[in-house]
Amino acid sequence: MKRWHWISLAAVMIGSLVLERVAVHHTSDYWWSHIPGLYGWLGLLGCIGIIVGSKLLGRKWLQRDEHYYDGE
Amino acid sequence: MASEMMLHPAFLVLVGVVVLPLLPPGARGKALPLFPLGALWVCWNLSPEHNFSVEFLEYRLSILQVDRLSRIFGIVFSLIGFAGGLFALHLRDVRQQLAALLYAGSALGLVFSGDWLTLFLFWELTALSSTVLIWSRQGTGSRVGLRYLLVHLFGGGLLLAGILGQVHATGGIGLQLLEAGRLSSWLILGGIAVNAAIPPLHAWLADAYPKATVTGAVFLSAFTTKSAVYLLARVAPGWEILIALGVVMALYGVVFAVLANNIREILAYHIISQVGYMVAGVGIGTPLALNGTVAHAFSHILYKALLFMGAGMVLQATGRSRLTELGGLGGKMPLTLWLYMVGAFSISGFPLFNGFISKSMVVSAALDARYQAAYLLLVLASVGTFLSIGLKLPYFTWFGRGRPEVGVSRPPLNMHLAMGLLAVLCVGFGVFPSLLYAELPYAASYRPYTLPHLVESIQLLAATFFGFWWFRSKLAGQPTLTLDTDWFYRRPAGWVRRCLVDGVSRLFDRADAGILAGIGWLAPRFRNPTLWFVHGSEREQGPAISGDDPDAARPKLEFAVTLILLCVLLFTAVAFLR
């Protein structure tokens, strides 16, 4: 990743947060729909949660040697 | 009737199964895409006035029943049949070519069936023909193909049992909405669940698709699960249990794709995840949700075939499909990379790609119907989709550390052409969603390009990228296998074989040997009854013969006397008893 990639990505993220603040009016009445940057949080925390949770599940329970079924 | 049959899209494709072997081997590949192309033209012009049925015993079989739901599935099945045929243009394997045509024709026959019996016939034909596409891959296909076939025969058995119950209960064979109170409805739902890959009946998909042939996997990714989604939308809209099952599917596929090492296994788990959106849409059951299901099935067939083509190209060009053996291929396969990325952007729901205009319909319908948890979990699943298909797979295949030892062969032009066609369609429907929306079956309007939706999507995708970059080292492939629910029939398979096959075979072997030994002992004694009265050593050596005396080989006098006495005793006993 080059520097301009990061700058573009940050600009897009900040732009979307600003647009959300000034131009988006949520019609949904759920408490969570009023959290600022909700979808950004969902993306970041969801991504980390999926990686960590899946890897934990794999290491503790599901992952086996590639030849696990070879004797079947 | 012959002219009516000609107007059946499945008939056109199935004619190809007969005609193709008669063509010269060099022409078969070129002819293959023409049959689905003809079916596409027929599907496009179909209307309910073309319906026809035939008498069979005491039933009327609705061979061709057209409505907007069946028509749009027919269009996309024909379209992908054509694209898959173009991708396989260079192929010289008539077995695969015939299996692909039979598979596409059966799937078309299935969606235009108006009764349970016709549908069941085509349902089973899709199972058999798709199995051949798995068996056709040398080396790995035979055992996994057998597992695939057995699971689908089990699913077909459930469906048939349900159909028989349904026919008995309703007195007719027409496709009708399932009623929750009937056992037959649940059996039918179980049969559909196998083909739709609803957990825990899903493991066949991730087991078999990565082991199919390069071209076969493209066809497999399109027909089996989506024809099951079609049938769910036809007979079980609004079944709320499907919402929960759909959400579980969406997340299940995401988790297992993070753990997978094989690129086609990652894609296979994301079929389960994406079909989860469709199943949830059927469960929500509103016109918007059902339109979302159909639109997403349409989009999914296009971008998933494109993704499987990209992964297949990597396998074909390098002979490898494990992330642990790949990396840095971007410079060697730039066109494949960018065409793959169109599919990845589509499945991830990037604006201007077709996943954006279809997935959001189901997700919005969940919120409109006030299923909050389902909405949030489906949004979370879309994070996982971008993570695995849009980031993990391309990063560790085309970017990352290069492997100079990996040789890359040049793929045939037709493979890139097929990918290009699908990429254009993914972008085309993404930019002009009304082209797809105009063909949807239910009355519901939806606008995908609204400011809130765009802002939400951009935030979600950008933040997911930050999360991936931060934790990307943890996503590197590992040379491991992930246990799934197929463990329940794969792991005990050896034990069951030892008990029920090896054990029984051993028992038969021993019984066989025992019987032969018994016969070997009895036969000489019946041939020469005197042997009953001689000792083992004497019997083995035979009577001692000295010189030229012939009497030496005869029975002794005591033996004759003993026999006479025994006979006298026997007759005396019989006389007394009478």
Side-chain angles (χ1 to χ4, degrees):
Chain A
M1 286 281 283
K2 297 189 173 101
R3 179 181 285 189
W4 70 268
H5 289 143
W6 287 113
I7 293 170
S8 314
L9 203 61
V12 166
M13 190 71 188
I14 292 165
S16 75
L17 289 168
V18 171
L19 265 177
E20 184 196 12
R21 184 86 183 146
V22 299
V24 175
H25 305 288
H26 289 290
T27 49
S28 147
D29 55 358
Y30 303 112
W31 64 267
W32 45 262
S33 64
H34 302 289
I35 298 171
L38 169 71
Y39 291 86
W41 290 115
L42 265 175
L44 184 68
L45 299 179
C47 178
I48 295 169
I50 287 168
I51 295 171
V52 173
S54 305
K55 285 288 172 185
L56 207 62
L57 206 60
R59 203 172 302 127
K60 298 281 180 200
W61 187 25
L62 297 172
Q63 283 180 308
R64 295 284 192 279
D65 182 78
E66 274 189 311
H67 306 289
Y68 180 76
Y69 285 124
D70 281 1
E72 73 177 26
Chain B
M1 178 169 152
S3 61
E4 288 168 331
M5 282 295 282
M6 287 295 289
L7 278 175
H8 198 310
F11 177 77
L12 267 182
V13 180
L14 294 175
V15 162
V17 179
V18 180
V19 171
L20 209 71
L22 306 177
L23 299 175
R28 288 174 191 153
K30 294 179 186 73
L32 178 65
L34 298 179
F35 298 100
L37 189 64
L40 177 62
W41 181 78
V42 171
C43 282
W44 188 258
N45 293 300
L46 274 180
S47 66
E49 69 193 38
H50 295 110
N51 291 358
F52 80 92
S53 54
V54 293
E55 292 287 343
F56 177 72
L57 300 177
E58 60 198 74
Y59 297 111
R60 176 159 282 277
L61 302 181
S62 302
I63 309 286
L64 179 65
Q65 184 154 309
V66 185
D67 60 12
R68 289 177 70 85
L69 180 62
S70 55
R71 182 173 167 272
I72 193 163
F73 272 92
I75 288 172
V76 72
F77 280 0
S78 309
L79 187 59
I80 211 64
F82 171 68
L86 186 60
F87 189 69
L89 201 76
H90 60 285
L91 206 63
R92 292 287 180 273
D93 180 357
V94 72
R95 184 171 61 163
Q96 273 194 73
Q97 289 165 333
L98 294 184
L101 275 183
L102 184 60
Y103 190 27
S106 312
L108 281 167
L110 193 157
V111 296
F112 287 112
S113 300
D115 67 90
W116 285 112
L117 294 187
T118 313
L119 181 138
F120 181 73
L121 172 77
F122 285 119
W123 186 274
E124 290 299 288
L125 268 178
T126 57
L128 295 175
S129 50
S130 54
T131 306
V132 177
L133 292 175
I134 297 161
W135 267 330
S136 296
R137 179 138 179 242
Q138 301 299 319
T140 56
S142 68
R143 197 169 278 247
V144 71
L146 190 62
R147 280 199 298 273
Y148 175 89
L149 184 62
L150 288 174
V151 171
H152 282 282
L153 290 180
F154 168 70
L158 284 180
L159 184 66
L160 181 62
I163 288 172
L164 293 176
Q166 185 82 358
V167 172
H168 179 71
T170 62
I173 59 169
L175 290 183
Q176 291 177 346
L177 293 177
L178 298 179
E179 287 181 25
R182 286 199 192 123
L183 173 65
S184 60
S185 301
W186 290 97
L187 288 170
I188 288 174
L189 203 64
I192 302 173
V194 171
N195 274 26
I198 296 177
L201 304 170
H202 67 285
W204 59 268
L205 196 157
D207 181 25
Y209 284 15
K211 286 140 196 153
T213 60
V214 167
T215 47
V218 174
F219 290 96
L220 287 166
S221 74
F223 296 128
T224 300
T225 47
K226 261 59 75 184
S227 51
V229 167
Y230 156 79
L231 191 54
L232 272 183
R234 169 76 65 198
V235 299
W239 277 52
E240 282 199 327
I241 189 174
L242 295 175
I243 303 174
L245 290 172
V247 170
V248 168
M249 285 175 82
L251 290 167
Y252 196 100
V254 160
V255 169
F256 277 74
V258 169
L259 298 174
N261 185 30
N262 185 315
I263 53 176
R264 296 204 299 173
E265 193 179 339
I266 297 173
L267 296 179
Y269 272 117
H270 272 281
I271 293 181
I272 297 171
S273 179
Q274 295 300 298
V275 172
Y277 286 87
M278 301 167 213
V279 170
V282 173
I284 294 164
T286 60
L288 178 62
L290 291 170
N291 269 354
T293 292
V294 176
H296 200 45
F298 193 100
S299 298
H300 174 78
I301 287 172
L302 299 181
Y303 63 64
K304 188 57 82 174
L306 176 56
L307 294 168
F308 264 100
M309 285 177 181
M313 297 270 273
V314 171
L315 175 61
Q316 169 137 332
T318 66
R320 299 167 183 227
S321 61
R322 290 187 177 92
L323 289 179
T324 40
E325 299 170 346
L326 293 168
L329 289 177
K332 296 174 183 171
M333 308 178 70
L335 186 57
T336 307
L337 162 65
W338 288 112
L339 290 170
Y340 170 90
M341 286 312 295
V342 172
F345 291 146
S346 299
I347 194 174
S348 305
F350 271 65
L352 304 180
F353 293 86
N354 66 347
F356 180 83
I357 62 131
S358 59
K359 191 194 291 184
S360 57
M361 289 177 83
V362 176
V363 179
S364 301
L367 196 61
D368 286 355
R370 305 191 73 76
Y371 292 108
Q372 294 182 67
Y375 170 80
L376 290 170
L377 292 171
L378 289 175
V379 171
L380 183 65
S382 70
V383 170
T385 305
F386 180 42
L387 177 67
S388 288
I389 307 290
L391 296 168
K392 171 187 166 179
L393 195 157
Y395 181 80
F396 291 105
T397 304
W398 282 285
F399 301 101
R401 190 167 64 85
R403 292 176 187 275
E405 77 276 12
V406 179
V408 176
S409 64
R410 191 181 172 82
L413 176 68
N414 61 289
M415 296 178 101
H416 275 140
L417 277 178
M419 288 186 78
L421 169 70
L422 292 180
V424 167
L425 290 172
C426 286
V427 177
F429 285 114
V431 176
F432 304 107
S434 56
L435 292 176
L436 177 59
Y437 292 171
E439 304 302 326
L440 293 178
Y442 303 99
S445 63
Y446 180 72
R447 286 175 53 226
Y449 290 108
T450 61
L451 188 63
H453 187 202
L454 283 168
V455 165
E456 290 162 5
S457 302
I458 289 168
Q459 280 185 20
L460 198 73
L461 294 166
T464 303
F465 183 86
F466 288 126
F468 163 77
W469 198 258
W470 190 4
F471 280 78
R472 66 187 186 284
S473 62
K474 294 203 178 304
L475 283 168
Q478 291 174 297
T480 56
L481 173 150
T482 308
L483 299 184
D484 203 337
T485 53
D486 56 348
W487 182 89
F488 289 100
Y489 53 82
R490 288 184 73 178
R491 194 59 178 167
W495 183 80
V496 169
R497 193 179 57 241
R498 275 194 291 280
C499 289
L500 299 183
V501 180
D502 296 350
V504 172
S505 295
R506 242 189 332 267
L507 187 70
F508 273 103
D509 285 348
R510 283 185 186 164
D512 207 28
I515 288 168
L516 283 173
I519 290 169
W521 189 81
L522 285 170
R525 282 167 178 76
F526 280 103
R527 198 163 54 228
N528 179 7
T530 62
L531 294 178
W532 291 97
F533 304 99
V534 295
H535 290 292
S537 57
E538 202 179 335
R539 188 168 59 243
E540 292 299 320
Q541 293 157 6
I545 298 172
S546 58
D548 300 325
D549 183 7
D551 289 340
R554 294 194 179 115
K556 293 177 179 166
L557 184 63
E558 302 95 293
F559 177 72
V561 172
T562 309
L563 268 183
I564 291 164
L565 271 174
L566 272 173
C567 287
V568 169
L569 279 172
L570 187 68
F571 283 114
T572 311
V574 170
F576 269 111
L577 287 171
R578 291 183 70 188

